[in-house]
């Protein structure tokens, strides 16, 4: 593939850019890889349109960013013959079984925020989408815009992130966890303000879905601060709403953005494939 420069066009003021000039069906040149990583750090989210990709293409692309994890929590939603991808889909197979999670990620979150080692990035590929947009918030822009006294209050604080509480609050019976599944995901603390290990840029790292409370504060103080942060981080000026087209691939940085899947009428078909990417390289 040629090393010609990629073009990055911002899709909103706070987060996201559309990338032109890349063909993700082919291996990336080192130059394009570096430009994509630079774009990811700068914009937090990258949109590649019109990419007709096989499962292996999505995995190969993800592997330029880091290590695509094999999703352990719910093996039943893995893409057949491609365990690095999961189906997010409201579609049933010939036996009437749902092929993926139909209701994934309705609340604001950053992927694997509930783990000691969260995901650095995720790639979501659109196979079919009659409805169901995804919304992103640029958490680095959120942090930049915070008043100085609020930034000072956050210094040194940690959020307690909990998949079990997330599932209790927002899951439904279809997603009831077994005791073994709960043991796999103990609550974890992460700094409320993350410094990006490569760009150094600071970003708010709390989300309504995953951050249950703030460590060391009384329940009332924790609740008040957390609600203030949720409200601030979802102000319209920090958001981008992505309306999917078939063959879109969206790559986002989990350390400087959060996202949620917007609800839609389930009479419409939606089939996405996601890779969840773990840190592997020093430059990402
Ligand atoms: C996710 O939260 O990773 C999925 C988002 C979506 O389905 O739009």
């Amino acid at each position: 593939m040629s090393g010609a420069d990629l073009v990055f066009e911002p899709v909103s003021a706070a987060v996201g850019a559309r990338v032109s000039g890349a063909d993700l069906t082919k291996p990336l040149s080192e130059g394009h890889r570096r430009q994509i990583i630079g774009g990811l750090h700068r914009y937090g989210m990258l949109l590649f349109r019109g990419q007709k990709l096989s499962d292996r293409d999505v995995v190969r692309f993800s592997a330029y960013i880091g290590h695509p994890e094999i999703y352990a929590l719910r093996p039943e939603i893995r893409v057949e013959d491609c365990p690095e991808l999961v189906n997010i889909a409201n579609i049933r197979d010939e036996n009437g079984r749902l092929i993926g999670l139909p209701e994934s990620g309705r609340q604001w979150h950053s992927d694997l925020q509930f783990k000691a080692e969260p995901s650095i990035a995720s790639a979501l590929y659109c196979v079919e989408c009659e409805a169901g947009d995804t919304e992103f918030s640029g958490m680095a822009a959120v942090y930049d815009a915070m008043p100085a006294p609020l930034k000072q209050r956050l210094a040194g604080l940690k959020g307690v992130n909990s998949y079990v509480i997330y599932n209790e609050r927002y899951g439904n019976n279809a997603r009831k966890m077994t005791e073994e599944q709960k043991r796999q995901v103990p609550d974890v603390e992460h700094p409320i303000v993350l410094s990006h290990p490569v760009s150094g840029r600071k970003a708010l790292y709390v989300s309504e879905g995953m951050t249950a409370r703030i460590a060391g504060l009384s329940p009332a103080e924790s609740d008040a601060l957390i609600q203030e942060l949720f409200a601030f981080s979802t102000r319209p000026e920090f958001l981008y709403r992505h309306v999917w087209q078939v063959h879109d691939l969206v790559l986002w940085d989990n350390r400087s953005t959060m996202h949620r899947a917007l609800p839609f009428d389930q009479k419409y078909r939606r089939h996405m494939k996601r890779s969840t990417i773990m840190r592997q390289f020093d430059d990402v």
Side-chain angles (χ1 to χ4, degrees):
M1 136 162 285
S2 99
D5 279 355
L6 304 177
V7 178
F8 295 82
E9 295 164 275
V11 293
S12 79
V15 62
R18 178 172 173 180
V19 186
S20 311
D23 176 359
L24 305 187
T25 64
K26 305 215 169 67
L28 289 181
S29 65
E30 182 53 23
H32 278 185
R33 177 185 175 272
R34 271 199 245 113
Q35 288 175 43
I36 288 169
I37 290 165
L40 188 64
H41 292 155
R42 176 159 182 200
Y43 298 106
M45 183 278 244
L46 299 177
L47 162 65
F48 301 83
R49 281 232 130 118
Q51 305 283 334
K52 198 168 175 196
L53 304 180
S54 68
D55 294 341
R56 293 320 318 173
D57 289 337
V58 177
V59 174
R60 185 189 53 238
F61 175 70
S62 303
Y64 286 116
I65 309 301
H67 174 68
E69 76 140 26
I70 311 259
Y71 196 63
L73 208 54
R74 296 179 188 276
E76 69 281 7
I77 64 165
R78 287 180 196 153
V79 171
E80 208 179 335
D81 299 328
C82 192
E84 299 93 338
L85 299 182
V86 295
N87 284 308
I88 296 175
N90 59 6
I91 290 168
R92 294 177 186 273
D93 66 15
E94 58 283 4
N95 301 315
R97 190 189 68 97
L98 275 170
I99 64 167
L101 287 180
E103 296 281 341
S104 175
R106 285 280 183 270
Q107 280 67 39
W108 286 108
H109 65 283
S110 167
D111 289 326
L112 303 189
Q113 194 171 8
F114 57 87
K115 283 194 159 188
E117 188 195 347
S119 158
I120 59 159
S122 303
L124 192 60
Y125 180 63
C126 180
V127 180
E128 188 176 356
C129 189
E130 293 177 343
D133 303 340
T134 308
E135 198 166 37
F136 294 87
S137 177
M139 298 296 267
V142 166
Y143 182 78
D144 289 348
M146 281 181 165
L150 182 54
K151 286 182 179 164
Q152 278 153 20
R153 264 168 80 201
L154 300 185
L157 288 181
K158 291 193 167 178
V160 179
N161 298 279
S162 172
Y163 187 85
V164 174
I165 291 178
Y166 164 78
N167 200 61
E168 276 164 14
R169 283 186 188 156
Y170 306 115
N172 54 38
N173 287 338
R175 293 174 60 187
K176 239 189 175 79
M177 295 175 78
T178 62
E179 288 309 309
E180 176 48 32
Q181 283 173 325
K182 287 184 186 174
R183 263 193 301 277
Q184 286 176 33
V185 283
D187 294 356
V188 294
E189 292 184 9
H190 292 299
I192 296 258
V193 179
L194 279 190
S195 289
H196 197 288
V198 182
S199 70
R201 201 167 168 201
K202 288 185 175 175
L204 187 67
Y205 194 61
V206 295
S207 68
E208 188 167 17
M210 292 295 167
T211 313
R213 60 182 186 281
I214 298 177
L217 299 190
S218 72
E221 282 175 320
S222 165
D223 258 21
L225 182 53
I226 227 163
Q227 291 308 328
E228 184 179 345
L229 296 177
F230 294 159
F232 194 93
S233 58
T234 54
R235 281 172 23 180
E237 63 265 35
F238 303 124
L239 306 185
Y240 165 69
R241 177 175 180 153
H242 185 60
V243 180
W244 291 92
Q245 291 182 9
V246 171
H247 300 154
D248 279 353
L249 183 134
V250 167
L251 172 74
W252 64 81
D253 182 344
N254 277 311
R255 297 158 301 184
S256 65
T257 67
M258 63 175 180
H259 62 281
R260 63 173 177 170
L262 293 169
F264 63 99
D265 188 332
Q266 291 292 318
K267 76 179 180 202
Y268 295 114
R269 286 168 65 92
R270 186 174 195 263
H271 184 185
M272 320 291 281
K273 293 180 179 180
R274 193 188 73 203
S275 77
T276 309
I277 303 169
M278 309 306 289
R279 188 148 200 246
Q280 186 178 13
F281 306 118
D282 288 345
D283 62 346
V284 194

